[in-house]
Amino acid sequence: MNQTPTEAEIQALLGSARRIRQDGRAGEQATPYDFRRPDRVSQAHVRSLQLLHERFARNVSSSLSAYLRTLTELSVVSARQLTYAEFLQDLPDPTAFYAIAMSPLDGVAALELNPGVAFAMIGRMLGGNGHTTDPGRALTEIEQNIVDGVVGILLDDLADTWKSLKDVEFRISGRETRPQMRQVAAPHDTVLALAFDVRINDHRGALNFCIPAQVIESIRDSFAQTWPQTRHETSAAQRRALARNLAAVRLPIVALLETSLSARELMELQPGDVLSLGKPASHPVRVQVGRTPKFEGHLARRGTFTAIAISAGPAPAVSVGLTEV
């Protein structure tokens, strides 16, 4: 479709703007428009794709939580049209950058995973607690291979989500740590950029996915179809696998016994000194699971061990060992 405005259309727009200024009618405003770079994707299609990928974010949150054995959340932040050069300018360098083939569609998409969450995922897959910090360097080949597994899960869920629009096989066709080194489109080509917020434990970062406008134009007839309103239902086997994986996750349980001292008193402490906690032994003790307060209990003894008898909380009464004082 030719979207270049005619001379008559331009004069009509200018005349309308003049009338609005003269009449001062409330609620009518002229909207700036760059005729040198017209939008190739209609706003209705942009909104439809955003809704589609919101469902993708929900599905992949469940998949990655089971794969990484820790809570992982994805949410759509924005969907906007821009040039491929502008898309690259917003990406960190170095990062985890992938060229994604979209068979049978004629075009290549791009997917970028910020280093902050990439290294958190790597640490988790290598047996860590998921609190790995970004070392400020490019991924090694071994680390890149680990991230490839995570990207594979993303692409599987992406293909499943896109089935309501078109059967597309998403696969990695190339990867790079410096986005500028792998061009998947011409700098001035229009793309639809989808930004996702990713949270893994205390780490937050971005996942960026861009689709060439020409790919969206090639399937625009599919947008006329009715979009499924039902959410992806997790199968019984997936629920069992998720429950089995989560049941194996070890969580720190901490009983908090707190007091305060002046700096002088702290410096004068000697072996054998006794600290008063300022509370009777019968006073409730707060118990945290990870960093979240969950229970209240009282000091107790189990055999030769000091323990906490849970007296209030979301679970039946149990005794747990005192892991931190």
Side-chain angles (χ1 to χ4, degrees):
M1 178 182 295
N2 184 8
Q3 296 186 354
T4 303
T6 65
E7 181 67 25
E9 290 172 332
I10 294 175
Q11 292 302 325
L13 288 171
L14 294 175
S16 177
R18 283 193 295 268
R19 286 193 300 273
I20 290 173
R21 287 197 300 268
Q22 293 169 359
D23 297 344
R25 288 174 290 184
E28 293 192 36
Q29 295 180 348
T31 302
Y33 188 85
D34 188 354
F35 288 100
R36 295 170 300 179
R37 197 186 68 191
D39 291 342
R40 293 183 58 180
V41 182
S42 71
Q43 288 305 309
H45 290 170
V46 171
R47 179 57 181 162
S48 296
L49 283 168
Q50 182 172 344
L51 292 174
L52 180 74
H53 288 88
E54 285 175 356
R55 191 174 64 190
F56 159 74
R58 292 193 297 267
N59 293 343
V60 82
S61 294
S62 300
S63 300
L64 287 183
S65 294
Y67 185 73
L68 299 174
R69 297 187 179 185
T70 191
L71 180 63
T72 305
E73 297 179 347
L74 268 78
S75 59
V76 177
V77 176
S78 65
R80 57 198 180 112
Q81 293 185 67
L82 66 169
T83 65
Y84 182 67
E86 291 170 333
F87 172 74
L88 291 180
Q89 288 175 0
D90 293 338
L91 304 184
D93 187 1
T95 188
F97 185 81
Y98 290 83
I100 307 297
M102 307 173 66
S103 178
L105 300 179
D106 185 17
V108 179
L111 186 145
E112 182 268 337
L113 185 64
N114 277 187
V117 290
F119 280 105
M121 290 176 176
I122 292 168
R124 186 67 190 160
M125 293 303 298
L126 293 180
N129 56 13
H131 297 291
T132 307
T133 58
D134 179 6
R137 59 167 175 81
L139 276 69
T140 65
E141 186 64 26
I142 294 176
E143 291 168 339
Q144 191 80 67
N145 289 334
I146 295 174
V147 177
D148 288 353
V150 174
V151 173
I153 292 176
L154 295 175
L155 298 185
D156 287 343
D157 278 336
L158 199 58
D160 185 60
T161 304
W162 270 58
K163 283 182 179 178
S164 60
L165 185 61
K166 186 177 180 65
D167 283 329
V168 179
E169 178 190 359
F170 294 89
R171 60 178 178 82
I172 299 173
S173 64
R175 55 180 164 93
E176 184 57 68
T177 57
R178 304 196 64 185
Q180 301 286 349
M181 301 300 293
R182 183 169 290 276
Q183 294 285 335
V184 302
H188 297 293
D189 283 354
T190 302
V191 298
L192 177 67
L194 293 148
F196 299 83
D197 178 63
V198 185
R199 194 179 81 174
I200 303 175
N201 292 327
D202 296 331
H203 292 275
R204 300 190 75 162
L207 171 72
N208 292 289
F209 182 55
C210 91
I211 311 168
Q214 65 182 30
V215 171
I216 300 174
E217 289 175 342
S218 68
I219 57 172
R220 61 176 178 265
D221 292 340
S222 301
F223 288 94
Q225 301 174 2
T226 302
W227 290 83
Q229 299 298 318
T230 57
R231 290 185 55 182
H232 172 70
E233 294 295 333
T234 305
S235 67
Q238 289 175 319
R239 288 195 295 271
R240 288 194 298 270
L242 179 60
R244 184 170 59 252
N245 288 334
L246 292 178
V249 176
R250 299 185 65 84
L251 299 173
I253 299 178
V254 181
L256 298 178
L257 300 175
E258 302 173 290
T259 189
S260 61
L261 294 174
S262 67
R264 181 182 299 277
E265 291 172 325
L266 182 64
M267 297 297 294
E268 293 176 351
L269 281 178
Q270 298 293 330
D273 289 349
V274 176
L275 288 177
S276 172
L277 299 178
K279 297 178 182 179
S282 59
H283 193 277
V285 176
R286 187 176 63 183
V287 180
Q288 290 187 175
V289 178
R291 300 183 182 183
T292 304
K294 283 293 185 182
F295 307 97
E296 282 190 356
H298 292 82
L299 291 173
R301 181 174 296 279
R302 188 171 186 177
T304 59
F305 294 95
T306 302
I308 296 293
I310 303 298
S311 57
V318 295
S319 292
V320 299
L322 188 63
T323 61
E324 184 174 315
V325 176

